């Protein structure tokens, strides 16, 4: 389950609503709508559905405040595209 807490959001898991436990663009949009101010998005995903991923990328790009994406472990496939929507990208 996604939620914003203290302006932080963890996007962990597969991208796409049809995966069990996957993160859909619709779910991401409702969570992003509850955010206010600069956001830190922690990312750990092996990718998934390209269309949900592109929609998430576009939602982050339109977000009116700064977004820092921190790749905690893996940002593969469409998750690497999502990471590129950040105003600042941090990879260890």
């Amino acid at each position: 389950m996604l939620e914003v807490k203290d302006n932080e959001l963890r996007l962990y898991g597969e991208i796409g609503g049809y995966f069990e436990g996957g993160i859909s663009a619709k779910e991401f949009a409702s969570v992003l709508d509850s955010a206010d101010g600069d956001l830190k998005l922690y990312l750990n995903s092996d990718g998934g559905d390209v269309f949900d991923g592109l929609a998430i990328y576009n939602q982050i790009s339109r977000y009116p405040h700064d977004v820092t994406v921190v790749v905690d472990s893996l940002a593969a496939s469409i998750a690497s595209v999502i990471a590129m929507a950040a105003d600042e990208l941090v990879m260890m």
Side-chain angles (χ1 to χ4, degrees):
M1 181 174 117
L2 289 176
E3 68 177 329
V4 174
K5 184 176 179 182
D6 299 325
N7 286 346
E8 294 185 348
L9 173 62
R10 284 174 173 69
L11 200 161
Y12 282 18
E14 296 196 79
I15 307 302
Y18 58 79
F19 294 108
E20 184 177 335
I23 300 148
S24 71
K26 183 177 181 178
E27 178 185 8
F28 189 85
S30 68
V31 171
L32 194 61
D33 286 345
S34 71
D36 185 30
D38 292 349
L39 183 68
K40 188 172 277 189
L41 174 71
Y42 294 94
L43 181 61
N44 182 22
S45 174
D46 59 357
D49 182 72
V50 171
F51 300 110
D52 273 336
L54 288 175
I56 291 170
Y57 171 93
N58 288 326
Q59 291 166 28
I60 294 169
S61 294
R62 286 191 307 269
Y63 187 70
H65 303 283
D66 285 343
V67 177
T68 300
V69 171
V70 178
V71 178
D72 271 346
S73 178
L74 180 65
S77 194
I78 195 63
S80 68
V81 174
I82 291 170
M84 298 303 291
D87 297 296
E88 180 182 1
L89 178 58
V90 178
M91 298 174 72
M92 306 309 166

